[in-house]
Amino acid sequence: MRVAQLGSGTPEIAVVAGVHGDEPCGVRAIERLLDDRPTVERPVKLIVANEPALERQVRFVDEDLNRAFPGSPDAKTHEGRLAHELVDELDGCLTFSMHSTQSHADPFAIVNGVNETAKDIVPQLPVAAMVETSNFAEGRLFSAIDTIEVECGLQGSETAAENADRLTRSFLTAVGALPGDTVRRDLPVYRLTDVIRKDQADTYEVFVENFTEVEAGAPFAAADGEKQVADESFYPVLMSSNGYRNVFGYSAEKVDVLETPATAD
């Protein structure tokens, strides 16, 4: 992995990109920061994580890095060893980790729990939603390090790279590393409840939009034309016909809307 720093001192803030080698948007954002070298009010650690996977333009070399934490120095896989090194490097840092997806164009945040840090920072980011995924956190970076993940947009797109830059600077402003102000937004909060699996097939279809409620009895996906119907209402998250090998995505429940406090006249 590649490690750099903005500002002097011991960082308590970190930005991570390239956890998956086929998601280059965050790497572009870090490279732009390193080119611009903005003056920071708090030191910031910048990490490009899985360099071998990025060089090969593949998701991972041996196993999914974002399912390998906390890792081990004696792990048999590249990602298992890298996970251990990354946890050591990020110790004591609130971490901002950038990803991209094949399922949803608008940025959204993913957190391990809706704690006070998430409630404070995520509404200041230009995201459409916050997804709480503690039921499915095993092996992910935020199971080992205090982390806010963001899905920046569609994988490989120029828009995702632009979003990554905007999201990173918003995060650094929200935590006081960059000067300036952020804009708070009313933010819907969802909690993942189950995995939506897909059978082996030649063709897959998805009929629903992420974060739009699917009513009980409605068809939401199909494998080789065989439709899957909702047993009960749910909100789809990361739903895609080709995003994951064995699953369409996740079902979620809407649990809250974080509202922007009214400004006194």
Side-chain angles (χ1 to χ4, degrees), residues 146-252:
D146 189 10
T147 303
I148 295 171
E149 286 189 3
V150 287
E151 296 285 355
C152 299
L154 295 178
Q155 186 176 325
S157 68
E158 185 64 28
T159 299
E162 293 170 359
N163 289 343
D165 181 64
R166 186 161 51 104
L167 286 158
T168 300
R169 292 171 191 261
S170 294
F171 169 76
L172 293 177
T173 303
V175 298
L178 286 178
D181 299 314
T182 59
V183 176
R184 285 188 174 270
R185 301 162 176 81
D186 291 350
L187 192 69
V189 181
Y190 301 85
R191 178 183 296 120
L192 298 189
T193 56
D194 205 355
V195 177
I196 301 174
R197 303 198 178 278
K198 62 183 181 185
D199 297 330
Q200 181 65 38
D202 293 324
T203 61
Y204 299 103
E205 300 170 272
V206 169
F207 309 130
V208 296
E209 296 291 331
N210 284 291
F211 302 111
T212 299
E213 187 174 17
V214 177
E215 299 289 345
F220 59 86
D224 282 347
E226 186 71 25
K227 291 181 179 180
Q228 294 189 28
V229 176
D231 295 328
E232 55 186 11
S233 63
F234 71 94
Y235 289 86
V237 175
L238 290 167
M239 282 280 286
S240 171
S241 59
N242 58 1
Y244 297 99
R245 185 167 60 89
N246 297 319
V247 302
F248 280 111
Y250 297 86
S251 61

Side-chain angles (χ1 to χ4, degrees), residues 1 3 14 16 19 45 47 49 65-66 68-73 79-95 139-147:
M1 62 182 167
V3 181
V16 174
V19 169
K45 184 173 289 189
I47 298 179
L65 177 57
N66 211 25
F69 292 99
S72 167
E79 280 80 11
R81 296 185 297 274
L82 179 58
H84 174 77
E85 294 170 9
L86 191 54
V87 167
D88 279 353
E89 195 66 50
L90 293 172
D91 184 42
C93 289
L94 172 62
T95 297
R140 298 179 69 146
L141 176 58
F142 49 44
S143 68
I145 295 293
D146 189 10
T147 303

Side-chain angles (χ1 to χ4, degrees), residues 6-23:
L6 298 176
S8 59
T10 301
E12 296 178 340
I13 301 296
V15 176
V16 174
V19 169
H20 295 133
D22 57 356
E23 299 174 5

